[in-house]
Short mmCIF file of all heavy atoms in Angstrom, two decimals:
data_model
loop_
_atom_site.label_atom_id
_atom_site.label_comp_id
_atom_site.label_asym_id
_atom_site.label_seq_id
_atom_site.Cartn_x
_atom_site.Cartn_y
_atom_site.Cartn_z
N GLY A 450 0.85 -1.19 0.00
CA GLY A 450 0.00 0.00 0.00
C GLY A 450 0.88 1.23 0.00
O GLY A 450 1.70 1.44 -0.89
N GLN A 451 0.77 2.05 1.03
CA GLN A 451 1.61 3.23 1.18
C GLN A 451 2.70 3.03 2.23
O GLN A 451 3.41 3.97 2.58
CB GLN A 451 0.73 4.44 1.58
CG GLN A 451 -0.35 4.80 0.58
CD GLN A 451 0.23 5.17 -0.77
OE1 GLN A 451 1.21 5.92 -0.85
NE2 GLN A 451 -0.36 4.66 -1.86
N GLN A 452 2.85 1.80 2.71
CA GLN A 452 3.79 1.49 3.78
C GLN A 452 5.05 0.84 3.23
O GLN A 452 4.98 -0.17 2.52
CB GLN A 452 3.11 0.57 4.81
CG GLN A 452 3.94 0.29 6.06
CD GLN A 452 4.05 1.47 6.97
OE1 GLN A 452 3.11 2.27 7.07
NE2 GLN A 452 5.19 1.62 7.65
N PHE A 453 6.21 1.43 3.55
CA PHE A 453 7.49 0.86 3.14
C PHE A 453 7.96 -0.16 4.16
O PHE A 453 7.86 0.05 5.36
CB PHE A 453 8.54 1.96 2.99
CG PHE A 453 9.93 1.43 2.69
CD1 PHE A 453 10.28 1.05 1.39
CD2 PHE A 453 10.88 1.29 3.69
CE1 PHE A 453 11.54 0.55 1.10
CE2 PHE A 453 12.15 0.79 3.41
CZ PHE A 453 12.48 0.43 2.11
N GLU A 454 8.47 -1.29 3.65
CA GLU A 454 8.97 -2.34 4.52
C GLU A 454 10.34 -2.80 4.01
O GLU A 454 10.50 -3.07 2.82
CB GLU A 454 7.99 -3.52 4.54
CG GLU A 454 8.28 -4.57 5.56
CD GLU A 454 7.20 -5.64 5.61
OE1 GLU A 454 6.11 -5.37 6.13
OE2 GLU A 454 7.46 -6.75 5.09
N GLU A 455 11.31 -2.85 4.90
CA GLU A 455 12.65 -3.30 4.52
C GLU A 455 12.63 -4.79 4.17
O GLU A 455 11.80 -5.55 4.70
CB GLU A 455 13.64 -3.06 5.65
CG GLU A 455 13.95 -1.60 5.92
CD GLU A 455 15.02 -1.44 6.97
OE1 GLU A 455 15.45 -2.45 7.57
OE2 GLU A 455 15.45 -0.30 7.21
N THR A 456 13.54 -5.19 3.30
CA THR A 456 13.69 -6.60 2.96
C THR A 456 15.05 -7.08 3.46
O THR A 456 16.08 -6.76 2.88
CB THR A 456 13.58 -6.82 1.44
OG1 THR A 456 14.39 -5.85 0.75
CG2 THR A 456 12.14 -6.68 0.98
N VAL A 457 15.04 -7.83 4.54
CA VAL A 457 16.28 -8.35 5.11
C VAL A 457 16.53 -9.79 4.66
O VAL A 457 17.63 -10.32 4.82
CB VAL A 457 16.26 -8.28 6.65
CG1 VAL A 457 16.21 -6.84 7.11
CG2 VAL A 457 15.07 -9.04 7.22
N LEU A 458 15.48 -10.41 4.09
CA LEU A 458 15.60 -11.75 3.55
C LEU A 458 14.88 -11.82 2.22
O LEU A 458 13.97 -11.04 1.94
CB LEU A 458 14.97 -12.79 4.50
CG LEU A 458 15.70 -13.21 5.76
CD1 LEU A 458 14.79 -14.15 6.56
CD2 LEU A 458 17.02 -13.91 5.45
N GLY A 459 15.27 -12.77 1.40
CA GLY A 459 14.50 -13.10 0.21
C GLY A 459 14.83 -12.28 -1.02
O GLY A 459 15.50 -11.25 -0.98
N SER A 460 14.34 -12.81 -2.14
CA SER A 460 14.40 -12.14 -3.44
C SER A 460 12.99 -12.19 -4.00
O SER A 460 12.41 -13.28 -4.13
CB SER A 460 15.38 -12.87 -4.37
OG SER A 460 15.51 -12.20 -5.61
N PRO A 461 12.38 -11.06 -4.33
CA PRO A 461 10.95 -11.03 -4.63
C PRO A 461 10.56 -11.85 -5.85
O PRO A 461 11.18 -11.73 -6.91
CB PRO A 461 10.67 -9.54 -4.88
CG PRO A 461 12.00 -8.95 -5.25
CD PRO A 461 13.02 -9.74 -4.48
N GLN A 462 9.54 -12.70 -5.68
CA GLN A 462 8.96 -13.37 -6.83
C GLN A 462 8.30 -12.31 -7.70
O GLN A 462 7.48 -11.55 -7.24
CB GLN A 462 7.93 -14.41 -6.38
CG GLN A 462 8.51 -15.58 -5.64
CD GLN A 462 7.49 -16.68 -5.42
OE1 GLN A 462 7.04 -17.31 -6.34
NE2 GLN A 462 7.16 -16.92 -4.16
N GLY A 463 8.63 -12.26 -8.93
CA GLY A 463 8.20 -11.20 -9.83
C GLY A 463 9.37 -10.42 -10.35
O GLY A 463 9.27 -9.74 -11.38
N GLY A 464 10.50 -10.50 -9.63
CA GLY A 464 11.71 -9.86 -10.10
C GLY A 464 12.34 -10.65 -11.23
O GLY A 464 12.38 -11.89 -11.20
N VAL A 465 12.87 -9.96 -12.22
CA VAL A 465 13.44 -10.62 -13.40
C VAL A 465 14.64 -11.48 -13.03
O VAL A 465 14.84 -12.57 -13.56
CB VAL A 465 13.85 -9.56 -14.44
CG1 VAL A 465 14.57 -10.21 -15.62
CG2 VAL A 465 12.63 -8.79 -14.93
N ILE A 466 15.43 -11.02 -12.08
CA ILE A 466 16.66 -11.71 -11.74
C ILE A 466 16.47 -12.73 -10.63
O ILE A 466 17.37 -13.54 -10.36
CB ILE A 466 17.76 -10.69 -11.36
CG1 ILE A 466 19.15 -11.31 -11.59
CG2 ILE A 466 17.57 -10.17 -9.92
CD1 ILE A 466 20.26 -10.28 -11.55
N SER A 467 15.30 -12.75 -9.98
CA SER A 467 15.06 -13.66 -8.85
C SER A 467 15.22 -15.14 -9.21
O SER A 467 15.79 -15.90 -8.43
CB SER A 467 13.69 -13.40 -8.24
OG SER A 467 13.65 -12.13 -7.61
N PRO A 468 14.72 -15.61 -10.37
CA PRO A 468 14.92 -17.03 -10.70
C PRO A 468 16.38 -17.43 -10.77
O PRO A 468 16.76 -18.51 -10.32
CB PRO A 468 14.22 -17.17 -12.06
CG PRO A 468 13.20 -16.08 -12.08
CD PRO A 468 13.82 -14.95 -11.35
N LEU A 469 17.23 -16.56 -11.35
CA LEU A 469 18.66 -16.86 -11.42
C LEU A 469 19.26 -16.89 -10.02
O LEU A 469 20.07 -17.77 -9.71
CB LEU A 469 19.38 -15.84 -12.29
CG LEU A 469 20.91 -15.96 -12.34
CD1 LEU A 469 21.33 -17.31 -12.92
CD2 LEU A 469 21.53 -14.81 -13.14
N ILE A 470 18.88 -15.93 -9.19
CA ILE A 470 19.38 -15.90 -7.81
C ILE A 470 19.02 -17.20 -7.09
O ILE A 470 19.87 -17.80 -6.41
CB ILE A 470 18.81 -14.68 -7.06
CG1 ILE A 470 19.44 -13.39 -7.60
CG2 ILE A 470 19.04 -14.80 -5.56
CD1 ILE A 470 18.80 -12.12 -7.05
N ALA A 471 17.78 -17.65 -7.24
CA ALA A 471 17.34 -18.88 -6.58
C ALA A 471 18.11 -20.08 -7.10
O ALA A 471 18.49 -20.97 -6.33
CB ALA A 471 15.84 -19.07 -6.79
N ASN A 472 18.37 -20.14 -8.41
CA ASN A 472 19.11 -21.26 -8.97
C ASN A 472 20.55 -21.29 -8.47
O ASN A 472 21.09 -22.36 -8.17
CB ASN A 472 19.08 -21.21 -10.50
CG ASN A 472 17.86 -21.90 -11.09
OD1 ASN A 472 17.28 -22.80 -10.48
ND2 ASN A 472 17.48 -21.49 -12.30
N VAL A 473 21.19 -20.13 -8.40
CA VAL A 473 22.56 -20.07 -7.88
C VAL A 473 22.57 -20.50 -6.41
O VAL A 473 23.45 -21.24 -5.97
CB VAL A 473 23.14 -18.63 -8.04
CG1 VAL A 473 24.47 -18.51 -7.31
CG2 VAL A 473 23.32 -18.30 -9.52
N TYR A 474 21.59 -20.04 -5.67
CA TYR A 474 21.49 -20.36 -4.24
C TYR A 474 21.29 -21.86 -4.02
O TYR A 474 21.98 -22.48 -3.20
CB TYR A 474 20.32 -19.57 -3.65
CG TYR A 474 20.30 -19.48 -2.14
CD1 TYR A 474 20.89 -18.41 -1.49
CD2 TYR A 474 19.66 -20.44 -1.36
CE1 TYR A 474 20.85 -18.29 -0.10
CE2 TYR A 474 19.62 -20.33 0.02
CZ TYR A 474 20.21 -19.25 0.65
OH TYR A 474 20.17 -19.14 2.02
N LEU A 475 20.35 -22.45 -4.76
CA LEU A 475 20.00 -23.86 -4.55
C LEU A 475 20.96 -24.82 -5.25
O LEU A 475 20.92 -26.02 -4.97
CB LEU A 475 18.56 -24.12 -5.02
CG LEU A 475 17.47 -23.51 -4.13
CD1 LEU A 475 16.10 -23.64 -4.78
CD2 LEU A 475 17.46 -24.18 -2.76
N ASP A 476 21.80 -24.30 -6.15
CA ASP A 476 22.78 -25.19 -6.79
C ASP A 476 23.74 -25.78 -5.76
O ASP A 476 24.24 -26.89 -5.96
CB ASP A 476 23.55 -24.44 -7.87
CG ASP A 476 24.46 -25.36 -8.66
OD1 ASP A 476 23.94 -26.27 -9.33
OD2 ASP A 476 25.69 -25.18 -8.59
N ALA A 477 23.99 -25.05 -4.67
CA ALA A 477 24.84 -25.59 -3.61
C ALA A 477 24.21 -26.86 -3.04
O ALA A 477 24.91 -27.83 -2.75
CB ALA A 477 25.03 -24.54 -2.51
N PHE A 478 22.89 -26.86 -2.88
CA PHE A 478 22.18 -28.06 -2.43
C PHE A 478 22.29 -29.17 -3.48
O PHE A 478 22.55 -30.33 -3.13
CB PHE A 478 20.71 -27.72 -2.16
CG PHE A 478 19.82 -28.92 -2.07
CD1 PHE A 478 19.79 -29.70 -0.93
CD2 PHE A 478 18.99 -29.28 -3.13
CE1 PHE A 478 18.97 -30.82 -0.84
CE2 PHE A 478 18.17 -30.39 -3.05
CZ PHE A 478 18.15 -31.16 -1.91
N ASP A 479 22.06 -28.82 -4.75
CA ASP A 479 22.13 -29.82 -5.82
C ASP A 479 23.48 -30.52 -5.82
O ASP A 479 23.57 -31.76 -5.91
CB ASP A 479 21.90 -29.16 -7.18
CG ASP A 479 20.55 -28.47 -7.30
OD1 ASP A 479 19.65 -28.78 -6.48
OD2 ASP A 479 20.40 -27.63 -8.20
N GLN A 480 24.56 -29.74 -5.74
CA GLN A 480 25.90 -30.31 -5.79
C GLN A 480 26.21 -31.13 -4.54
O GLN A 480 26.91 -32.16 -4.62
CB GLN A 480 26.95 -29.20 -5.96
CG GLN A 480 26.76 -28.33 -7.20
CD GLN A 480 26.85 -29.11 -8.50
OE1 GLN A 480 27.38 -30.22 -8.57
NE2 GLN A 480 26.32 -28.52 -9.58
#
């Protein structure tokens, strides 16, 4: 709404670069 909230965790779903960030992050688990 009109309220600003800091993001201390996460990468927003809807962001163009978020899928790549998630893949890089979870690749450590895959390996």
Side-chain angles (χ1 to χ4, degrees):
Q451 300 300 315
Q452 187 71 33
F453 175 80
E454 189 175 286
E455 291 184 355
T456 47
V457 295
L458 284 175
S460 183
Q462 293 190 67
V465 175
I466 204 167
S467 292
L469 174 62
I470 289 172
N472 273 335
V473 171
Y474 196 92
L475 289 172
D476 187 63
F478 164 78
D479 300 342
Q480 302 299 341

